[in-house]
Amino acid sequence: MVRGDGSDAGGVDPQQLWLDSDRPRKGRKPAFSRAAITAAAVALADAEGIDAVTMRRVASEVGAGVMSLYSYAPDKETLLQLMVDQVSGELSPPDPLTGDWRADLKAIAHAQRALMLRHPWLPTALLNRRWSLGPNTLAFLEHALAALRPTALDGGAKLEVFSLITGFAARLVADEIAQAALSASPERAAAEARYLAAVAADGHHPELAEALSAPARPLTPDATFTRLLDRMVDGLDAGS
């Protein structure tokens, strides 16, 4: 789950992060693993949101001292990278490729959406940071690049398409989560509707008024995601 540029965040050395064995960088080995720390952080974020993930809180969850935790994850940015890669493992092994690259891209985007809905903190994390390529992320990226093999795109363009698909999924799921929160407040939803109606009627926004008067489309999250994904992927030029 990355944008596709392979950039790392927070000055973390990706080789040190991903290729070193699962052991602390200094001091004696504690009675827990990096995987256990990451799993605890993911569970905390799933339950309470990404802001709840602090080094002190995660240390408490695994029954460790904060200083012991730092030997595995020196800062929160590193921990977040570990979390993103761990949940990306839920995408593997993905469905077999069909050879229809557009259909395969759509399947990839739907898998990403399902993952983000299981972990509602993930869209925000992906949109607000740059990520290095951990092993689970690499496996899914490899799958996406293989899906694009039937196209005439070069390697850089394939990475851009994967970045586009991932960013699209993250943005729509973030909006979906926000809309769900808005729906939980009928008063706010009604206020938003009244505001748009007033703006459309003020005579200064004729294009918006025309757009809002168009026949309604299915507005369920599933239907909206599928409709917009189809529009984007079907419009991609496989030769450039």
Side-chain angles (χ1 to χ4, degrees):
M1 299 289 295
V2 293
R3 304 276 183 91
D5 59 6
S7 300
D8 62 299
V12 176
D13 181 340
Q15 181 168 342
Q16 186 178 52
L17 180 62
W18 302 119
L19 297 184
D20 282 356
S21 60
D22 185 16
R23 56 182 172 80
R25 295 175 184 168
K26 58 185 179 180
R28 63 181 182 178
K29 183 176 181 179
F32 49 86
S33 66
R34 189 171 78 173
I37 294 167
T38 307
V42 168
L44 185 58
D46 287 348
E48 300 183 29
I50 200 168
D51 290 341
V53 179
T54 65
M55 301 299 281
R56 183 174 299 279
R57 183 74 184 276
V58 174
S60 176
E61 293 292 321
V62 297
V66 176
M67 296 309 295
S68 296
L69 202 67
Y70 287 139
S71 65
Y72 275 102
D75 51 41
K76 183 175 177 177
E77 288 301 311
T78 302
L79 182 58
L80 287 171
Q81 290 206 43
L82 294 172
M83 292 165 61
V84 168
D85 193 67
Q86 177 153 311
V87 298
S88 294
E90 297 174 25
L91 295 166
S92 300
D95 293 335
L97 297 174
T98 67
D100 179 340
W101 66 268
R102 285 189 170 88
D104 289 334
L105 273 186
K106 292 174 186 179
I108 286 168
H110 279 287
Q112 290 180 314
R113 174 176 178 255
L115 178 70
M116 294 176 196
L117 289 174
R118 289 196 299 273
H119 303 286
W121 53 270
L122 186 55
T124 299
L126 289 172
L127 291 169
N128 291 347
R129 293 170 177 83
R130 298 168 71 103
W131 301 99
S132 64
L133 299 169
N136 292 322
T137 307
L138 280 171
F140 194 68
L141 174 59
E142 184 72 12
H143 176 72
L145 295 176
L148 290 166
R149 179 170 289 280
T151 72
L153 299 172
D154 63 24
K158 290 175 182 176
L159 290 171
E160 288 174 346
V161 168
F162 181 64
S163 174
L164 178 67
I165 293 296
T166 302
F168 166 86
R171 174 51 61 196
L172 259 68
V173 173
D175 289 345
E176 181 178 340
I177 293 169
Q179 285 299 318
L182 182 62
S183 298
S185 174
E187 295 83 3
R188 183 176 174 186
E192 291 281 353
R194 288 194 301 271
Y195 168 71
L196 282 177
V199 169
D202 67 8
H204 299 299
H205 304 88
E207 299 296 335
L208 176 61
E210 181 179 351
L212 292 176
S213 68
R217 299 176 184 271
L219 294 179
T220 65
D222 287 348
T224 299
F225 187 89
T226 298
R227 181 174 64 252
L228 295 180
L229 178 64
D230 287 349
R231 186 177 300 162
M232 181 179 67
V233 174
D234 292 346
L236 288 175
D237 183 354
S240 61

